[in-house]
Amino acid sequence: MHFDILTLFPGMFAGPFGESILKRAQQAGQISVGLHNIRDWASDRHRTADDAPFGGGAGMVMKAAPLAASIRAVRGDPAAVPPPPVILLSPDGEVFSQAIAAELAAEPRLILVCGHYEGLDERVREALVTRELSIGDYVLTGGELAAMVVVDAVARLVPGVIDGASITEESHSDSLLEYPHYTRPAVWEDRPVPAVLTSGHHGEVAKWRRRERLRRTLARRPDLLIRAFAQGLLDTHDLAYLAELGWRRL
Ligand code: ADE
């Protein structure tokens, strides 16, 4: 899977993309990343990519021409090849989720556009952006950190990047939070691990883990339980256990 990232600050990406799983996935050829400096498409001597807003007001706005030229150059001719999604990272976008990450992981290529300053000229949005994503209801200084979050969440779902088993039971993969994890020693500072985990009964371990996922989700994110129920992800055992815990569906 290939990610093209359009940004005014390509240097910001070196750290997160040069370490750990994202680094390994690039070395293994499972993902590749193209970093493109929007300023390279500015036409003037000063490589100007922003300007004051029409109508006045605070801050600067990303100019239409360099940004549009960068998107078009990186995207290629849409008549020749099916164009990849052009995703703008912006606090006004649809809120990013595990479901959206899974959807994007099925694409062969994504173009991520990092907004900056007060935003970008609205006409570029209309003409070239196909989707807008926000990573949460707060405002960052720019879209770069948000693009890193999206690449990280999508890349780990690309087949082979991480062990498939760890994806199927992790938080949010099926609208439930994860069960708690323990490793050696069996007793730490007078705290033993739950006995079932050292019992050797795989069936009991699986049942305990499922119940822990339900219990945690009810305690911390009851909104997710409603979603899991609506998606048909809770069986009769789950519902009986949740009823024991006092869950009353609305
Ligand atoms: N740019 C600024 N804030 C953002 C956010 N919350 N998500 C995505 N891009 C952003």
Side-chain angles (χ1 to χ4, degrees):
M1 159 141 212
H2 184 74
F3 300 90
D4 280 304
I5 300 173
L6 278 64
T7 171
L8 291 167
F9 302 98
M12 284 179 73
F13 292 82
F17 289 1
E19 302 274 351
S20 185
I21 293 172
L22 292 184
K23 177 183 181 183
R24 207 177 58 214
Q26 289 172 88
Q27 287 171 338
Q30 290 150 338
I31 64 162
S32 52
V33 180
L35 287 171
H36 311 278
N37 191 336
I38 295 162
R39 256 182 229 291
D40 292 346
W41 282 271
S43 51
D44 64 318
R45 212 158 47 87
H46 302 289
R47 311 214 308 152
T48 310
D50 59 314
D51 205 343
F54 274 125
M60 298 292 271
V61 176
M62 287 171 83
K63 287 169 70 64
L67 183 56
S70 69
I71 295 171
R72 289 191 172 114
V74 168
R75 184 189 62 182
D77 179 3
V81 276
V86 176
I87 300 172
L88 173 69
L89 286 312
S90 132
D92 303 347
E94 181 187 356
V95 179
F96 187 55
S97 64
Q98 192 64 26
I100 296 175
E103 200 185 308
L104 298 180
E107 298 278 351
R109 178 154 94 101
L110 298 178
I111 298 179
L112 301 174
V113 180
C114 304
H116 227 91
Y117 309 120
E118 286 306 302
L120 46 101
D121 191 304
E122 187 66 18
R123 294 165 292 185
V124 177
R125 234 189 199 133
E126 293 165 6
L128 292 164
V129 170
T130 61
R131 190 165 191 174
E132 264 180 71
L133 293 178
S134 161
I135 62 160
D137 291 338
Y138 41 81
V139 181
L140 302 165
T141 55
E144 283 75 12
L145 287 166
M148 293 179 217
V149 167
V150 170
V151 170
D152 192 277
V154 172
R156 62 190 291 290
L157 298 179
V158 170
V161 171
I162 58 170
D163 170 20
S166 47
I167 289 180
T168 47
E169 285 211 328
E170 70 194 3
S171 298
H172 299 292
S173 61
D174 54 6
S175 295
L176 295 179
L177 302 183
E178 249 186 283
Y179 53 78
H181 302 279
Y182 301 87
T183 187
R184 284 177 289 188
V187 181
W188 174 76
E189 295 190 353
D190 294 332
R191 296 167 192 265
V193 305
V196 62
L197 297 179
T198 51
S199 69
H201 290 114
H202 298 303
E204 287 301 309
V205 170
K207 184 174 159 190
W208 179 84
R209 286 180 169 167
R210 180 76 187 175
R211 288 184 161 201
E212 284 299 302
R213 299 189 71 197
L214 295 165
R215 202 171 56 77
R216 261 192 186 205
T217 311
L218 176 61
R220 299 180 184 196
R221 294 291 305 275
D223 57 308
L224 294 182
L225 273 186
I226 293 163
R227 191 195 297 175
F229 179 72
Q231 291 173 338
L233 298 170
L234 304 178
D235 66 17
T236 51
H237 300 292
D238 294 336
L239 293 172
Y241 182 60
L242 287 166
E244 266 177 50
L245 296 177
W247 189 47
R248 298 281 169 270
R249 272 175 280 128
L250 299 175

